[in-house]
Amino acid sequence: MSNENKTIHDFDFSLICDFFSNMERQGPGSPDVTLKALSFIDNLTETSLIADIGCGTGGQTMTLAKHVHGKITALDLFPDFIDILNRNAEHLGVQNRVKGIVASMINELPFEEESLDLIWSEGAIYNIGFERGLKEWRKYLKTGGYIAVSESSWFTDERPTEINDFWVDAYSEIDTIPNQIAKIHKAGYLPVATFVFPETCWTENYFAPKLTATKIFLNSHTGNKMAEELAASQSHEEVLYRKYKEFYGYTFFIAKKVERNSFNN
C-alpha cells in the first residue's frame, strides 16, 4: 500500500488527533447543513436531552447549541477534542447545557434507555458501523425521538474501480442511499428526510481548512515520516474527491424512532 493510499485507520490515534484538532470540523459539513437537518426535527424544548456522538471538536455541537435550548452531551474518544469543545462551550456561554465527555461509541453509551429526545452524529457513525450504530443507539431514544446522522453514500450502482476500491478498503459499509434508507427502516425508525451534502461542504468547509491544518501539523512534526504519510493520505483524499465526486459523497439521514409493532417485518 502506498503512503497516499493509506486510510485514516492506518495511523496512530495521537497523530490523528493532533492533525484534526486544528480544524473546526473533522469531516465535510457546514452550519447550514446542520441547520437544514435540524429543521426536520420537531418538539425539542428546554428539557430535551440530546447526544452528539462522535462530536470531534464540536463544530456542529456549537451550531446546535445556538438553535436548540435543550441539554447536549457531546462525546468523543479523543480527550483533546473534548477539551476544545468544552472551551468553545464556555466561550459561547452555553457550558451550563453543553457538556463534552470522553467516551467510546463502541461501548455502552452513558445514557439511560429511552432518555434521549435526539441523537446526532455527523460523519462519525462509520466508527461503529451504520447498521450497528442505528440498532444499538435506538434503545437510548424515547419513542418518537429522532436520530440524525450523516454517512458516506454511493450515488450510483456502479463506479470506477479506483474509487470503489478506496472506499471499500476504508469503509466497507458504504452503500447506496436507497439501501441505507432501507437499513434505517429495518432498524426500527421511520425515515423522515434525506439530503446530499452540497459540494461546498467538501471544498470550502473541509479541504480548504485542511490545507492550513496540514501546514501547522507538518511544522510541528518535522522529519516524522508517519506524520508526513498521514498528511499525504489526507491530500490524496481530496484528489480522489475532485476526480470522482459524481459517484459518492455524504448524505444526511433524519429518522424517528417508532414502536416495533408498527412494522410488518
Side-chain angles (χ1 to χ4, degrees):
M1 179 185 293
S2 67
N3 294 342
E4 64 179 14
N5 285 329
K6 287 185 176 181
T7 69
I8 196 70
H9 305 290
D10 296 311
F11 296 96
D12 180 78
F13 270 14
S14 62
L15 277 181
I16 297 169
C17 180
D18 194 20
F19 184 97
F20 285 101
S21 63
N22 292 309
M23 297 178 65
E24 181 180 350
R25 288 176 174 270
Q26 287 66 55
S30 72
D32 286 345
V33 159
T34 296
L35 291 178
K36 182 175 180 178
L38 186 61
S39 72
F40 294 102
I41 296 165
D42 56 22
N43 298 327
L44 293 178
T45 68
E46 292 183 358
T47 61
S48 295
L49 299 181
I50 301 162
D52 185 358
I53 303 176
C55 58
T57 58
Q60 71 291 329
T61 319
M62 297 306 121
T63 300
L64 290 173
K66 293 175 184 176
H67 295 86
V68 174
H69 298 294
K71 292 189 176 181
I72 304 172
T73 301
L75 62 90
D76 200 277
L77 188 61
F78 296 113
D80 288 354
F81 287 176
I82 294 301
D83 288 343
I84 293 169
L85 184 148
N86 283 327
R87 286 200 300 270
N88 288 340
E90 287 189 25
H91 180 73
L92 281 177
V94 295
Q95 69 273 16
N96 62 323
R97 57 186 183 85
V98 177
K99 181 181 180 182
I101 61 173
V102 178
S104 170
M105 70 174 71
I106 306 299
N107 304 320
E108 284 287 309
L109 298 179
F111 306 110
E112 294 182 8
E113 292 189 11
E114 299 189 354
S115 65
L116 299 175
D117 297 278
L118 171 61
I119 290 177
W120 201 271
S121 185
E122 288 197 32
I125 195 172
Y126 77 90
N127 286 293
I128 189 173
F130 188 64
E131 287 189 88
R132 180 182 170 187
L134 290 170
K135 292 175 182 176
E136 293 189 7
W137 297 350
R138 184 181 182 277
K139 66 183 178 183
Y140 301 106
L141 277 176
K142 300 173 183 176
T143 299
Y146 287 86
I147 187 167
V149 300
S150 61
E151 171 76 327
S152 50
S153 305
W154 291 127
F155 297 157
T156 60
D157 289 328
E158 297 181 0
R159 47 261 160 198
T161 300
E162 182 182 22
I163 194 59
N164 184 81
D165 290 353
F166 174 84
W167 268 102
V168 169
D169 180 57
Y171 180 49
S172 61
E173 274 200 64
I174 186 173
D175 209 338
T176 60
I177 294 171
N179 287 344
Q180 289 167 323
I181 293 173
K183 291 172 184 176
I184 290 170
H185 184 270
K186 184 178 180 181
Y189 303 89
L190 173 67
V192 172
T194 303
F195 64 90
V196 173
F197 283 25
E199 187 178 334
T200 52
C201 286
W202 291 79
T203 55
E204 296 178 14
N205 293 10
Y206 185 48
F207 294 140
K210 191 185 283 188
L211 286 175
T212 302
T214 299
K215 292 176 182 177
I216 296 171
F217 177 72
L218 290 177
N219 285 337
S220 64
H221 293 279
T222 304
N224 184 325
K225 187 173 184 294
M226 191 60 71
E228 293 171 356
E229 290 181 3
L230 174 57
S233 74
Q234 293 302 304
S235 177
H236 185 58
E237 180 185 19
E238 179 175 358
V239 171
L240 288 177
Y241 177 76
R242 294 187 183 279
K243 187 176 181 181
Y244 296 114
K245 59 190 175 184
E246 68 267 34
F247 296 101
Y248 72 98
Y250 265 97
T251 306
F252 230 124
F253 299 95
I254 300 93
K256 180 185 287 190
K257 177 181 175 179
V258 293
E259 293 287 359
R260 288 285 188 180
N261 59 15
S262 65
F263 286 82
N264 295 321
N265 56 353

